[in-house]
Amino acid sequence: MRETILNQAYNSVVAFVRAKHVEEIDEAYDYFWEEEDPADFLGGRPLELGFMNFEDWLVCDYRPGEAKGFIDRFIEDSRPDKEMAAVLEGLRTGSVFATRLIDVEGEKAMGRCVYPFADRKALVLDSLEGQFRRYQKHKNPGSSMADFLADETYAFNTIWVSCLNL
């Protein structure tokens, strides 16, 4: 259920951007790929993953000039229901840990930018939670996940390397 809501939120914003902001997509594309054609240096699955990463960045992070981000524009234009609006708020403010960690219905869901490791999502989230609990216990009681990710950047490498070695 959580993943369905998250995918609906992403897909709704992407469709909105494609329909109403084509010129800004072109500008963002040039910026993201540094005016290169990604097909010149990527192919197959890596190219597909690169486009997914671009889409995630476009939806969640890109701010064209001084304009609002696309999530804010989508919310204003489409007036999504309360459930989708809550997920969109998480996308807009979610912490990034080689993915977006979004609170959906009181639990963490992973955004879709961790493509090769999607089948290990439970392992990644369990490892992350374990390191976060140790951080709270030994270093920063009462801290948030955002505090942990900002202070303990090593966590990214430790968890992903452990996934690669399985």
Side-chain angles (χ1 to χ4, degrees):
M1 172 83 166
R2 290 185 322 243
E3 302 301 322
T4 301
I5 297 166
L6 181 58
N7 285 331
Q8 287 174 348
Y10 267 107
N11 293 335
S12 296
V13 178
V14 169
F16 166 78
V17 172
R18 287 180 180 161
K20 297 191 176 191
H21 300 284
V22 175
E23 289 178 13
E24 288 173 298
I25 293 173
D26 290 340
E27 292 170 16
Y29 187 88
D30 287 343
Y31 179 80
F32 185 84
W33 294 108
E34 298 179 357
E35 299 184 16
E36 298 286 332
D37 181 356
D40 289 344
F41 54 90
L42 294 174
R45 184 74 172 141
L47 181 60
E48 183 181 328
L49 299 176
F51 280 118
M52 290 173 78
N53 193 36
F54 167 73
E55 216 170 57
D56 181 79
W57 171 81
L58 178 73
V59 166
C60 300
D61 299 320
Y62 182 61
R63 300 292 180 269
E66 297 297 316
K68 293 179 181 178
F70 291 121
I71 290 174
D72 289 327
R73 294 187 216 183
F74 173 79
I75 290 171
E76 288 175 5
D77 187 73
S78 303
R79 306 251 186 250
D81 65 35
K82 192 174 185 176
E83 186 177 49
M84 184 176 289
V87 170
L88 290 168
E89 288 294 324
L91 288 174
R92 183 173 37 199
T93 60
S95 297
V96 177
F97 170 76
T99 187
R100 281 182 205 286
L101 299 175
I102 301 134
D103 284 314
V104 179
E105 298 176 356
E107 293 185 36
K108 293 271 186 259
M110 283 173 57
R112 60 185 181 182
C113 57
V114 182
Y115 335 103
F117 302 99
D119 62 330
R120 296 187 180 137
K121 179 173 65 172
L123 173 67
V124 170
L125 291 175
D126 288 346
S127 297
L128 182 65
E129 279 297 323
Q131 287 192 22
F132 174 54
R133 284 191 302 275
R134 284 190 296 280
Y135 171 78
Q136 284 183 311
K137 181 178 180 181
H138 299 292
K139 290 188 176 182
N140 194 351
S143 61
S144 68
M145 179 64 79
D147 297 330
F148 166 68
L149 293 173
D151 293 344
E152 304 292 321
T153 56
Y154 74 88
F156 165 77
N157 294 326
T158 303
I159 293 172
W160 289 116
V161 167
S162 70
C163 285
L164 290 171
N165 289 327
L166 293 176

